[in-house]
């Protein structure tokens, strides 16, 4: 694959603006609300032209999404996916497994935990892919994308109040659902972009055994 | 392209759960906060097992994203994109043009308005692609995806306090940035999935002149 050009090597309409011509800086910050899940702030910011504006946003601890791959006898890959009712959008959604970071947990540890809790699978190899900012207009959330393979099934350990179904989808089915509108979950659409390009051999993954990601413990 | 299988024709682990085994129903709803942008609620819901749980979420009017395409002398397509500082994530982000629905506006009218205001472009042809639920865990937001072509440049009309830069990117640059982590905006990653498959001829668009989308006005 050819080397990436930096974004500022694109074909620009006019000259490329410097960061400081776009950046907003915090003048003050006020907590709007602290709920069980949502923690929201309203900040007054200084705009690039010196004026001020309000910015409201939700603070989030971060999350991970896992693209778990199974291979059949013919060497074909399929992905482990979930169906889950999402109250905010009022629909059963088709998604890749995902979950929020616990305090003190690394992103890989979170990926291992969420995969096991939600699907029952443990993976022998992992690859860190990329990251998604799902809602840059009003959330700090970032979702780390991990691929997992070498899957061995065990027991699920769903959180209390968590109801979801695990199934497998072929890449062609998944892409078909992304086009037809059966899949509209943003993180899963982004995961489909990764899966499509990884399986085509265009985007390379750096697969590693679990030991590489495990924290060094004091004996 | 072959017909899509419905999701429930996938390879299931166990039998496929019915909607009612996953659905949560509202018992009560309480407004958490009404800000300038954020409007949040906390609902008590009944779970499939009869227990109750709290669900906190942000209500959003909906949005559109536009993938505007330009063609050069050699017939190659490139996309009109933006660089914009996003305070919630503290970074200048590379994005497709997008914006929130105004009251009474159709999604297409919103797409036309946002494209003109943010980039200055007017398009002669439009195609509705799909939809993204960017954050199903705690936002009702849905982003409609539109493609635009036949672009003619005019004057930008940025909102007060809006600072953004318009540039063009080749599809290969965009996909490279998605892989390298230069593009992490969720809606833009989903847009890249659409752009890649549309330009490959795998996903078809139904291009239409503006007149098809224009509301019939009483004379």
């Amino acid at each position: 694959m050819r080397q990436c050009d930096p974004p500022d090597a694109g074909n620009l309409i006019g000259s490329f603006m410097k960061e400081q011509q776009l950046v907003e800086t915090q003048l003050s910050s006020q907590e709007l609300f602290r709920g069980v899940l949502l923690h929201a702030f309203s900040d007054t910011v200084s705009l690039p032209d010196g004026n001020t504006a309000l910015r409201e946003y939700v603070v989030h601890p971060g999350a991970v999404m896992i693209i778990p791959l199974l291979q059949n006898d013919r060497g074909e890959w399929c992905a482990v996916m979930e169906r889950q009712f999402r109250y905010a959008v009022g629909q059963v959604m088709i998604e890749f497994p995902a979950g929020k970071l616990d305090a003190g947990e690394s992103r890989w540890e979170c990926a291992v935990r969420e995969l096991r809790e939600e699907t029952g699978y443990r993976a022998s190899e992992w690859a860190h892919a990329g990251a998604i900012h799902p809602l840059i207009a009003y959330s700090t959330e970032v979702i780390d994308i991990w691929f997992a393979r070498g899957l061995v099934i065990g027991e699920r350990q769903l959180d209390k109040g968590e109801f979801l179904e695990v199934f497998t989808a072929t890449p062609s089915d998944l892409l078909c659902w992304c086009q037809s509108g059966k899949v509209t979950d943003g993180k899963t659409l982004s995961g489909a972009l990764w899966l499509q390009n990884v399986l085509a051999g265009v985007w390379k993954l750096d697969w590693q055994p679990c030991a590489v990601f495990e924290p060094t413990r004091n004996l």
Side-chain angles (χ1 to χ4, degrees), chain A:
Chain A
M1 196 179 65
R2 73 181 183 74
Q3 276 298 102
C4 290
D5 295 324
D8 45 15
N11 295 309
L12 301 175
I13 297 168
S15 63
F16 216 60
M17 287 169 82
K18 296 199 174 61
E19 295 266 315
Q20 62 262 38
Q21 294 172 278
L22 296 167
V23 169
E24 301 168 355
T25 52
Q26 185 189 63
L27 297 175
S28 65
S29 183
Q30 187 195 347
E31 184 177 88
L32 282 181
F33 176 79
R34 177 159 214 152
V36 179
L37 166 72
L38 295 181
H39 193 190
F41 289 82
S42 175
D43 290 10
T44 302
V45 304
S46 168
L47 299 174
D49 63 3
N51 287 319
T52 60
L54 274 185
R55 296 287 178 251
E56 294 177 352
Y57 58 97
V58 170
V59 170
H60 190 277
V64 301
M65 174 176 76
I66 307 109
I67 301 176
L69 298 177
L70 285 167
Q71 205 169 21
N72 69 13
D73 299 342
R74 297 183 299 281
E76 297 156 347
W77 292 99
C78 67
V80 179
M81 302 195 71
E82 300 175 354
R83 287 173 75 233
Q84 185 174 11
F85 184 78
R86 294 297 198 151
Y87 185 77
V89 296
Q91 291 177 39
V92 174
M93 302 294 282
I94 295 173
E95 306 173 44
F96 285 119
K100 242 189 319 186
L101 278 175
D102 280 347
E105 193 176 45
S106 77
R107 291 178 180 275
W108 175 75
E109 287 168 329
C110 179
V112 170
R113 178 179 55 74
E114 289 289 349
L115 180 64
R116 190 182 65 244
E117 288 178 358
E118 294 191 351
T119 73
Y121 281 109
R122 287 169 184 273
S124 63
E125 287 188 295
W126 290 84
H128 183 245
I132 307 166
H133 286 98
L135 235 177
I136 57 180
Y138 55 91
S139 173
T140 67
E141 182 168 350
V142 58
I143 304 172
D144 233 36
I145 310 171
W146 289 83
F147 279 75
R149 70 182 184 189
L151 303 182
V152 178
I153 193 71
E155 280 292 311
R156 289 204 292 173
Q157 295 156 337
L158 291 180
D159 287 340
K160 190 174 171 299
E162 201 172 31
F163 297 84
L164 59 85
E165 180 163 49
V166 179
F167 70 103
T168 62
T170 66
S172 66
D173 277 347
L174 170 60
L175 287 165
C176 207
W177 302 338
C178 291
Q179 189 219 359
S180 71
K182 279 191 196 298
V183 170
T184 57
D185 172 43
K187 68 179 180 305
T188 302
L189 292 169
S190 301
L193 176 71
W194 270 95
L195 184 60
Q196 176 169 32
N197 286 293
V198 164
L199 292 181
V202 185
W203 294 6
K204 305 291 183 196
L205 293 177
D206 182 23
W207 288 102
Q208 300 286 350
C210 292
V212 167
F213 302 107
E214 275 160 4
T216 313
R217 311 249 181 232
N218 291 327
L219 298 176

